[in-house]
Amino acid sequence: MTSRPPEHLPPRDPGAPGHDTTRSVGQNVSTGARATARGLRGFARGTGRFGRATFRRARRAAGAQGAEKSGLNRLIELAACNAAGDSAFAIALAGTIFFAGATSGERGPVLLFLGLTMVPFAIVAPLIGPFLDRFSHGRRWAIGGTFAMRAFLCWVLAGTLTSGSPWFYVAALGVLVSSKAYGVAKAAAVPRLLPPEITLVKANGRVSLAGVVGAAVSAPLAGFSYWLGPEWACRYAFLVFVLGTVAAIMLPAKVDSTEGEAAIQSSRGGPPSARPGSGVPPRVAFALRANCGPRLLSGFMVMFLTFVLSSEPLDGWESTTRATLLVGLVVGAAGLGNTLGIVVASVARKINPAAMVVVALFADIAAVVFAAVAYSLVPLIVLGLTAGLMQFLAKVSLDSTIQSDVPVRAHSSAFAKGDTTLQLAWVVGGFLGVVLSYPAVNGIGLPFAAVVLAAWTFFVFTSRSDKARPGSPRAAGGPVPRTVG
């Protein structure tokens, strides 16, 4: 008996059982697919609109108060690009000797880490600073060169990161030195693009705030790249630094201009004929000495509290997880304070630099005394918050003082020497923190820090000259009040 071919089968009865169910399931699947597609398209459109709106608002904020006309907005955007690349580089090297020592429970690797942090500054101050001063007619190319160098070295690192090649250390050190050189060159370029509507303190705060935003946006992308492999995070950093190279070369031409520099130097109290490095202006010397106090406290606090709270946590925080969280709260408070300082500096109408460095010293002393007397979670968080906030406000006050008092042709050298001095203060504080964190002596750690800060404050005030007094007309801004905040 032969079976009937399929094409001759009788049509299925629409009323047969299961026919409606099959059609209903098919319709539901089709409807769900269309709804999902519409939802995805709507989400993509909404995300695109949000991204474009955020980008437009960021561009408007960067160009506010005359920054767009002067070209400062370009430098602000470049700072965001720089921080994005540096954060990607840091994430790529998260498991190497440069960063593993900072989170190690052993003091030996930490001391090695502290020593390594001085190496880039030891190169920048005596070598890069004077070179950038002589290259002042090509500031855009100097800034672009720091990006191009980091792009090349990140590409090299991508091939050596997991191979154990000795070139890894050379390339990593080169990136760190180039990053410090960018900071020096950028600081020297800010006064050339300063609009009349804002002060140097505010301009420096805006540039720093852009860096925070750039790092926050870039970190997730760099983290995803690191998940694919550390070398991919380096390649991502390479792309960011290439973009920064192009953006640096496209900075306004006035960054390279020397027009009016002699007049600017005369109005700031420095004769045009003065030789660079022939002497440090009194206000700059005072601000630099005062900055060493908050910077020393920052290094001491991070190292001291990291070890002490890990080995001898507060009551109720004894478990390993809670002890780690405790350290994160205190150190995170310092980071939050630094961010608050950036916001304050970028939005404040006026900050007197000479007065601000004094306020930073006394605020830090008060916070350390409070933490030593009432040793508990809240005082320690207050200490971290105060240390971070005062460190940044004191630093931007120092930057504005250098920019207003040092001859333009010596800016890069002054910034390089200042940054090296402050990094040395941080390392000294870190060494003291490590030494005093041993169980036998950690009980005197915070009181010792308070005494050291008080003694340093006494030295700062007894060694200042009359021209550097916070209440003097020169300290309040001299003949060019708009440049010093």
Side-chain angles (χ1 to χ4, degrees):
M1 181 178 181
T2 59
S3 61
R4 182 179 297 178
E7 58 270 22
H8 298 295
L9 288 175
R12 185 171 181 176
D13 183 6
H19 180 76
D20 291 339
T21 302
T22 303
R23 183 173 59 184
S24 175
V25 170
Q27 289 175 345
N28 289 339
V29 170
S30 176
T31 302
R34 287 195 298 270
T36 301
R38 286 195 299 269
L40 290 174
R41 286 196 300 269
F43 177 77
R45 286 195 298 269
T47 303
R49 284 196 297 268
F50 175 78
R52 288 191 295 271
T54 302
F55 180 75
R56 286 195 297 268
R57 284 195 293 269
R59 292 292 300 272
R60 283 197 299 269
Q65 293 181 295
E68 185 173 4
K69 293 181 180 179
S70 70
L72 181 63
N73 63 322
R74 299 281 190 88
L75 193 62
I76 292 174
E77 293 164 0
L78 188 65
C81 185
N82 172 77
D86 279 348
S87 66
F89 168 75
I91 289 173
L93 268 64
T96 69
I97 186 174
F98 288 98
F99 296 93
T103 56
S104 172
E106 300 179 1
R107 290 169 175 80
V110 173
L111 294 175
L112 175 61
F113 168 78
L114 287 173
L116 288 174
T117 60
M118 280 303 301
V119 176
F121 291 92
I123 298 174
V124 168
L127 300 178
I128 304 299
F131 171 78
L132 292 175
D133 282 330
R134 291 182 176 86
F135 206 60
S136 60
H137 299 320
R139 292 186 184 98
R140 288 182 297 173
W141 295 98
I143 296 174
T146 65
F147 277 93
M149 180 61 70
R150 282 179 285 175
F152 169 73
L153 293 175
C154 281
W155 188 263
V156 172
L157 276 171
T160 63
L161 201 58
T162 57
S163 65
S165 170
W167 288 106
F168 162 78
Y169 298 99
V170 177
L173 179 61
V175 173
L176 294 174
V177 172
S178 298
S179 180
K180 301 306 178 186
Y182 160 80
V184 171
K186 176 263 298 178
V190 169
R192 305 302 303 166
L193 302 175
L194 186 70
E197 292 86 350
I198 63 177
T199 64
L200 277 171
V201 170
K202 196 167 188 175
N204 290 326
R206 279 197 190 181
V207 172
S208 299
L209 183 60
V212 172
V213 174
V217 172
S218 177
L221 298 175
F224 175 75
S225 302
Y226 185 84
W227 178 75
L228 298 176
E231 66 277 8
W232 285 104
C234 277
R235 294 186 179 111
Y236 166 70
F238 162 81
L239 294 176
V240 175
F241 287 134
V242 167
L243 178 64
T245 303
V246 177
I249 297 172
M250 294 177 64
L251 286 170
K254 67 172 71 176
V255 173
D256 296 331
S257 173
T258 58
E259 181 181 356
E261 285 193 356
I264 292 173
Q265 292 165 13
S266 277
S267 67
R268 291 174 179 173
S273 60
R275 290 179 303 164
S278 59
V280 179
R283 286 205 319 147
V284 175
F286 175 79
L288 181 57
R289 292 192 192 106
N291 263 264
C292 289
R295 194 58 63 101
L296 185 143
L297 174 62
S298 176
F300 174 87
M301 182 198 69
V302 170
M303 295 302 171
F304 177 78
L305 292 180
T306 296
F307 281 112
V308 171
L309 294 180
S310 297
S311 59
E312 300 180 21
L314 301 175
D315 294 339
W317 297 80
E318 287 81 5
S319 67
T320 303
T321 303
R322 290 179 66 83
T324 303
L325 176 60
L326 178 61
V327 174
L329 286 174
V330 177
V331 177
L336 176 60
N338 195 269
T339 303
L340 289 177
I342 293 173
V343 174
V344 170
S346 61
V347 302
R349 289 189 174 184
K350 187 175 181 64
I351 293 178
N352 187 317
M356 188 66 248
V357 295
V358 174
V359 170
L361 279 171
F362 284 103
D364 279 346
I365 293 173
V368 175
V369 171
F370 177 48
V373 173
Y375 186 77
S376 60
L377 179 60
V378 172
L380 291 179
I381 289 179
V382 170
L383 172 60
L385 194 66
T386 303
L389 175 64
M390 293 301 130
Q391 175 184 301
F392 183 82
L393 291 179
K395 179 59 168 63
V396 293
S397 297
L398 171 63
D399 288 349
S400 68
T401 305
I402 292 175
Q403 289 162 340
S404 63
D405 279 32
V406 174
V408 176
R409 60 178 175 270
H411 271 172
S412 296
S413 294
F415 280 112
K417 292 176 182 177
D419 285 352
T420 301
T421 302
L422 296 183
Q423 184 64 15
L424 178 61
W426 194 93
V427 170
V428 170
F431 272 112
L432 291 175
V434 172
V435 171
L436 291 174
S437 67
Y438 284 95
V441 293
N442 61 25
I444 65 170
L446 290 176
F448 179 82
V451 171
V452 170
L453 275 179
W456 183 258
T457 302
F458 178 79
F459 167 75
V460 168
F461 275 90
T462 55
S463 63
R464 78 177 189 263
S465 67
D466 292 339
K467 293 182 179 179
R469 289 179 180 175
S472 66
R474 183 62 180 152
V480 280
R482 77 170 186 88
T483 63
V484 294

